[in-house]
Each structure stands twice: as structure tokens, then as C-alpha cells.
Amino acid sequence: MLSRPTRVLSVIAPMTQLNTPYPSTAYLTGFLRSRGVDAVQEDLALALALELLSPGGLVAIRGRIAELPALGRTRQVEAFDEHFNRYAQTIGPTVAFLQGRDATLAHRICSRAFLPEGPRFESLEVYVDDDGGDPMAWAFGALGVQDRARHLATLYLNDIADVVRDAVDPRFEFVRYAESLAQSQPSFDPLAEALAAPLNLVDRMLRELTLAALTRHRPTLVLVSVPFPGAVYAAFRIAQAIKSHDPEIVTALGGGFVNTELRELTEPRVFDHFDYLTLDAGERPLLALLEHLAGKRSQSRLVRTFTRAAESNAVRYINFVEPDVPFAEVGTPTWDGLPLERYLSLLDMLNPMHRLWSDGRWNKLTVAHGCYWKKCSFCDVSLDYISRFDAVTAETLVDRIETVVAETGQTGFHFVDEAAPPKSLKALAAELQRRRLAISWWGNIRFEKSFTPELCRALADSGCIAISGGLEVASDRLLTLMKKGVSVDQVARVTRGFSDAGILVHAYLMYGFPTQTVQDTVDALEYVRQLFAAGCIQSGFFHRFACTVHSPVGLDPAAYGVTLQPLPPTSFARNDIGFIDPTGVDHDALGVALKKALYNYMHGIGLEEDVRSWFDQPVPKTRIARHRIERALATQALS
């Protein structure tokens, strides 16, 4: 029970995106304030990155390098140490440039004489043409001065991140920080061992930032959001700092990682750091927890909450059944308290759609809770974030958009739905037009026939600049097995409608799905080649299929022709699960060729070549007619 008035502090744990806040704390803070709760928020992920990427941070990193034996220094570390004065001189101005506070610095950065260039810059030289031309001419279109400078500055920051990894913490990454300690980790032992180790430089910085946040806000309850395995280690370090500072402060853990991987938690040591863990949509569990802490609700009436029994030290899962807060009543996210002017607009140049993830600050909103389709066999359809579909009216959604624009002064929106419903998007476009509200937006959809050319044009008129969707394995047989509810021909027609409307189209692609053969893989790449050649898609990414315990494949592997590998006894995280596919295909070897081909297709290279040329091993000729996609599009034009 709390001894003073409730104040809730929600924090984003390192590491997440550096260009925009991860939205979980904005959602929770907005909701809690709508219910009269005193709620504030902090982005410790950004704060830690900026602490490292500062003159003082670089001095501290160099101090750690001085403690390393000469034989323990990597090439990256040696280069950083040798050119330290240039790093110390340029880090402040470069960060200011990436924050949009000093645009004129772009000219000096582009001169290639301002920034010290470590090993990461060697990637540019791969692309110098035979005439010794521009090393960035390979990029998507002719880069302007600002874009060139941001790309060079991003390489510079990545060089520094490599130095931190080699000299301070071998687990360090700007996004996937120490994720191996948590991702599908059946035992808590590796994480417990890491948390028991003496604090390294990064740990000490995070501890100081955490204590400073506690001093500023004086919370009684701290909510830590962990969307990914790469934020778990830092989340526990944050909780560790809180408990050592003031054990009376209540700590609670939630987020995507908890919702997917800790559903069968039995490890009591987790609760040395966190008093509570909550599952799924956080609004109802938080209301119940706040009532409990205020003495207005017994512990037995908590909702979807793990805690540790004081008398037995055993983990208890308590779920007093109450309806979730309707999506229409969760309130409007607020970014109040987050330093929006300090986020870094990076340019990794992975592909056009990935650029949107790292370049610019986007207001993140959700069109609807859950997925209206919820049938895909590779997806966690048994979990709440997919299975419970709950939409709002277009009027409510645009009210939220207007509120966010008024608060942030920024009109770019990323709709973070698993698959935004076409009906909702159509109504949204009409409402935006009716109110004459000018925004830019992008998000994820299913390539379904409801997205007619007319609707695509209406979405473009409302501000849609890009969409992404799952083509997955471009094979009608496997799409049927996946229960995607689309065909390759349908995907071609829908994506062409978006492209013709001037909307960038990104395709999520998959390889290694159960029973996928080498022939299936070659045929899928041929479909992808034709989609690029026909102007249907402009961006894509191949990822290796991973089976999860919550997906239809994981729940009923026999229906997909595979056998699951036994999992070890699990007391901590459980999600990914290995499987045995009777086809015996070496998907990893094929994946190299798929990614190489896709990279070239995105640059307009090799679109007329036989797809077999990308593979290092003999593969069969494709069974797909060379002009199959063209014919599908022609059929649409005639209908």
C-alpha cells in the first residue's frame, strides 16, 4: 500500500529507436491522465544514447580504453583512440545536426574532411563505380546534401557504437542491447549473472539517469516498458537502481516482450527487481493495480498480473476477470514530458521503407486494437494484441490526431497496427478530407482486394505516403497454407494500385516456411522480380520464418507438416521454438541469395536476369511464366 499520493512514472528502457519515442509510455500516460491519475514519462533510451554521444561520454569511453591491454584492442578501438580529438570536437555539432538544430553543418560533413571515418565508412567504397565516381551514387535516387550528411553522420555514430561494444560492453547495440540474455531464454540464470556483475560504464550512466528521473518526478509507481528482448537487460538495471535507491517505490514491468515471452513465468528472482508484471493491454491491469496500491482492492482482484507470494516465495498469476477498457475510451496518447527536439534523425539507407523507421520523428497512433483478420498461421493469433479486435470511429481517431498535432506541432503519423482495416482507413481518409486536415501517414495493411485503385487514390489524397504488407512467401500454395487470404495475382493488382497513386509499397517477405522447397523459393523470387519490374513494389525485406509457441504452426505443427523440437524446462522466457521440416532444405544458404537479389532489385539492378544467377548453388529453373504479373495486371485493366 502506498504511503503518499500516487504518482506514476512510465519509462522507456534502452534500447529502442533514436528518432522517435517508442509509444508505450505515451499511450499509458495519456490514458492515466484521462482517468485523473498524476502520470509522467521519461525516455531513458534516448537519454542514455545522448549521454554516450556527448563530449563527456566520449571521454569516459576513452578512459575505459586506457584500461584495456594492448592486445585486447580491436581495429575500431585503435582508430577511435588515435583520432579521439577529432571525435571529441565533432560529436556535439554532429548530434545537433541530426537533431535538426544545425542544418548548415551538412556541407562540412559532406566534404568528407570533417568527421573522422572509422571502419563503418568502408561500406561506402564497395559502391565506387569503375570510373571512380560518387561512392553514394548507389543510393535511392540522387541524395541531396542533407541526406548525404545524415547518412555519413549515421555511419559515424555506428563507429562509436562499435567502440562501446568492443571497449565497454560486448552486448551493446543501439537497438538490440543484450537481447541474447532474454530472447526465448528458458532460464533466468544468464540475466541474473549479468545483473550481479559490477556496473560497467553504460550501466553506471543508466543508473545515474534513472536516479535523476526519480529525483525530478518523485514517483510512487514506476512502469517500465520492454517492447523487445533488446530492452530487457536495461529494464532490469533500471529496476535494480530504483530498488537500491528506495525499496518503497513500486515497480511494474510490461510491454511486448512480457506479453509474448513471459506468459508462463515461474522464476521468483524476477521479483527481486519488479513487484508486478502485467500482460496484454495495460489499461485494465493498471487500474486494478492502482486501486490495490490505494487499499481499495484486494490482491486477489488484480487483473492479468504476476507477483510473488511473500509467504512461499512462489510466483502467482492473478487474473480477476474484468472487461478490457474499450479502445474508444483509452484516451489520446501524450508526448508531454518527452524531449521531442532531441531525437536523432538517422539515415541507414537499408531500403526506402526502413528509412521511414529511422529518419524523422513520427507520432505513433493505432487505428484499431488487434487484427481484424487474425488467421495467419505464422502470427501470434492466440494472444490479445492480435486476437481482440476493437475499432473506433473515424471521428474519434481524427480527434486524437488533431490533439496530437496541437501538442507536438508535427503532422507525421505512423499507424502501428498489425494490419489497419481497409474500412477504417477509408473512413479515416474521408474524415481527414472533411476537416481539411493536412497530415502525412504510413502504416501496415493486408494486400486485400478491398484496396481498390479508387481507395488507394483516396488514401493518397488524405496524406498516405507509404504502406507495408505481407507478401511473405510469394507462392499461392504456401499463401493458402499460411491462411493469408490473398493470392500473388491479387497482391500484384493491389500493390500496383497503391504505386499508381504515388504511395511507396514495401513487401514483407519470408523464407523457410514449413514445407517450402527449393523450387518454391526460386519461384517466389521470380514473382518478386516481376513485381519490382512491373512497378508494383519499391521496397522489401526477406526475413527467416521463426516458429513461435503462440502461433497456429506452434500450436498444431502436424497440420503444417513439421515436428517441433522439444523445449528445455522453462521458468523465464518462452517464445521461439525450433522445428524439423522433412524437406531438409538449407534455407540459410538460400536466404543469402534472396537478400542479395532483393537489394539489387530495389536499386533497379538485375531485373532482367534469370533469378538463378543470384544463387551460389545449382537451383531449378522457375516454373513461373516470365510475364505472369504483367498478365495479371492486364486482366485487371480489362475488367
Side-chain angles (χ1 to χ4, degrees):
M1 205 170 295
L2 298 177
S3 58
R4 53 191 174 91
T6 300
R7 174 168 250 214
V8 180
L9 169 63
S10 297
V11 301
I12 303 171
M15 287 294 189
T16 55
Q17 290 174 262
L18 296 181
N19 67 305
T20 197
Y22 191 79
S24 55
T25 64
Y27 280 42
L28 291 176
T29 304
F31 168 72
L32 291 172
R33 289 183 180 181
S34 74
R35 297 301 177 102
V37 177
D38 183 5
V40 291
Q41 58 188 327
E42 288 269 351
D43 189 342
L44 293 181
L46 176 69
L48 178 59
L50 293 179
E51 186 72 16
L52 284 166
L53 299 172
S54 69
L58 297 195
V59 169
I61 294 168
R62 196 186 195 197
R64 179 66 186 97
I65 291 173
E67 300 171 3
L68 295 176
L71 293 178
R73 299 186 181 190
T74 63
R75 189 163 64 98
Q76 290 95 325
V77 169
E78 290 285 6
F80 176 83
D81 195 39
E82 180 183 354
H83 300 287
F84 177 77
N85 288 338
R86 289 186 63 197
Y87 278 100
Q89 179 184 359
T90 54
I91 187 64
T94 302
V95 168
F97 165 72
L98 290 171
Q99 291 173 329
R101 296 188 289 114
D102 190 3
T104 58
L105 189 69
H107 299 279
R108 291 200 68 190
I109 293 175
C110 288
S111 73
R112 302 290 297 276
F114 178 68
L115 297 178
E117 298 189 356
R120 288 281 187 151
F121 284 78
E122 294 171 3
S123 63
L124 295 179
E125 308 313 318
V126 175
Y127 303 101
V128 176
D129 60 33
D130 294 337
D131 298 323
D134 182 0
M136 285 191 284
W138 55 273
F140 301 99
L143 285 177
V145 171
Q146 293 293 319
D147 282 353
R148 286 170 180 266
R150 271 185 294 156
H151 183 51
L152 293 169
T154 301
L155 294 175
Y156 165 85
L157 296 192
N158 288 336
D159 269 330
I160 296 173
D162 291 342
V163 173
V164 175
R165 186 189 64 238
D166 292 347
V168 178
D169 188 341
R171 303 159 304 198
F172 182 80
E173 298 280 352
F174 273 138
V175 177
R176 296 181 174 88
Y177 184 21
E179 72 174 359
S180 63
L181 295 176
Q183 187 171 26
S184 299
Q185 182 62 255
S187 170
F188 188 68
D189 288 347
L191 187 54
E193 183 178 347
L195 293 170
L199 301 181
N200 61 36
L201 172 64
V202 179
D203 296 332
R204 290 197 299 272
M205 286 181 173
L206 180 57
R207 175 182 172 81
E208 291 168 3
L209 291 167
T210 301
L211 297 181
L214 297 180
T215 300
R216 273 193 302 276
H217 299 297
R218 299 191 72 249
T220 55
L221 169 62
V222 178
L223 310 176
V224 185
S225 175
V226 283
F228 319 114
V232 172
Y233 170 74
F236 275 80
R237 281 296 195 191
I238 290 168
Q240 194 178 57
I242 293 170
K243 288 301 182 184
S244 66
H245 171 74
D246 183 355
E248 296 302 310
I249 297 175
V250 178
T251 53
L253 183 69
F257 171 80
V258 178
N259 298 340
T260 55
E261 303 217 16
L262 299 188
R263 303 190 76 86
E264 299 173 33
L265 180 70
T266 60
E267 174 55 72
R269 289 176 292 176
V270 169
F271 298 91
D272 293 339
H273 309 276
F274 290 98
D275 299 296
Y276 302 95
L277 274 72
T278 66
L279 294 181
D280 301 326
E283 290 84 5
R284 181 60 68 192
L286 273 179
L287 291 179
L289 177 59
L290 289 170
E291 288 182 2
H292 170 61
L293 296 175
K296 299 177 182 178
R297 177 185 288 244
S298 67
Q299 188 181 80
S300 63
R301 296 180 68 242
L302 291 175
V303 177
R304 295 197 301 273
T305 300
F306 286 101
T307 190
R308 182 171 61 184
E311 63 281 0
S312 64
N313 203 42
V315 176
R316 294 182 60 201
Y317 178 64
I318 306 167
N319 187 17
F320 184 79
V321 178
E322 288 186 5
D324 273 294
V325 177
F327 187 57
E329 298 175 15
V330 298
T332 301
T334 178
W335 281 264
D336 178 47
L338 298 178
L340 300 185
E341 74 287 350
R342 301 188 71 203
Y343 287 87
L344 305 172
S345 187
L346 306 177
L347 191 49
D348 282 321
M349 299 302 298
L350 293 176
N351 63 40
M353 178 60 86
H354 286 180
R355 173 176 176 170
L356 291 178
W357 283 93
S358 62
D359 183 12
R361 204 202 71 74
W362 300 93
N363 299 310
K364 294 181 182 283
L365 275 185
T366 308
V367 175
H369 180 280
C371 178
Y372 69 98
W373 179 250
K374 53 190 176 188
K375 295 179 183 179
C376 298
S377 57
F378 54 82
C379 193
D380 292 337
V381 296
S382 62
L383 299 185
D384 176 80
Y385 81 98
I386 298 291
S387 63
R388 183 172 61 85
F389 179 68
D390 185 8
V392 296
T393 66
E395 291 78 11
T396 297
L397 183 57
V398 178
D399 285 346
R400 292 174 180 174
I401 289 171
E402 288 187 323
T403 300
V404 170
V405 171
E407 177 184 275
T408 66
Q410 294 172 317
T411 59
F413 285 81
H414 174 200
F415 296 130
V416 295
D417 301 70
E418 296 298 316
K423 182 179 179 181
S424 296
L425 291 181
K426 182 178 181 179
L428 168 66
E431 185 65 14
L432 288 170
Q433 295 282 56
R434 187 184 71 80
R435 299 194 197 185
R436 298 181 180 178
L437 183 59
I439 67 168
S440 301
W441 63 269
W442 57 288
N444 197 49
I445 64 162
R446 291 180 63 248
F447 292 132
E448 64 165 74
K449 60 184 179 182
S450 300
F451 289 106
T452 62
E454 293 75 20
L455 178 54
C456 293
R457 289 192 291 271
L459 297 181
D461 289 342
S462 75
C464 180
I465 60 171
I467 57 96
S468 57
L471 175 54
E472 317 305 353
V473 176
S475 156
D476 284 335
R477 177 184 77 83
L478 291 173
L479 286 171
T480 300
L481 185 61
M482 289 177 176
K483 300 180 182 177
K484 282 291 296 183
V486 300
S487 67
V488 176
D489 286 0
Q490 179 179 308
V491 169
R493 297 181 186 116
V494 170
T495 53
R496 183 59 178 270
F498 278 109
S499 295
D500 287 347
I503 296 171
L504 173 73
V505 180
H506 174 89
Y508 290 114
L509 300 161
M510 181 188 296
Y511 64 99
F513 191 75
T515 72
Q516 183 177 359
T517 64
V518 175
Q519 183 71 67
D520 289 327
T521 303
V522 173
D523 291 347
L525 185 56
E526 173 61 18
Y527 273 130
V528 171
R529 182 196 70 78
Q530 292 187 30
L531 287 167
F532 272 98
C536 295
I537 58 178
Q538 296 78 43
S539 175
F541 183 77
F542 268 111
H543 69 275
R544 175 71 185 270
F545 168 75
C547 181
T548 69
V549 295
H550 310 293
S551 69
V553 177
L555 294 170
D556 186 13
Y560 299 89
V562 297
T563 303
L564 299 183
Q565 296 175 345
L567 286 171
T570 300
S571 61
F572 186 53
R574 183 173 181 264
N575 191 39
D576 291 356
I577 183 169
F579 63 94
I580 300 169
D581 189 331
T583 60
V585 175
D586 184 354
H587 293 293
D588 288 333
L590 296 175
V592 173
L594 295 174
K595 293 173 182 178
K596 181 167 60 176
L598 186 62
Y599 180 85
N600 282 275
Y601 292 164
M602 285 190 291
H603 293 85
I605 299 170
L607 289 171
E608 298 304 319
E609 295 181 14
D610 189 315
V611 294
R612 289 176 292 178
S613 65
W614 300 108
F615 295 89
D616 292 331
Q617 70 265 45
V619 295
K621 181 179 180 180
T622 181
R623 299 170 299 188
I624 308 303
R626 189 161 180 82
H627 301 289
R628 166 71 181 275
I629 296 299
E630 286 183 18
R631 288 200 297 269
L633 296 173
T635 301
Q636 180 189 34
L638 293 172
S639 61

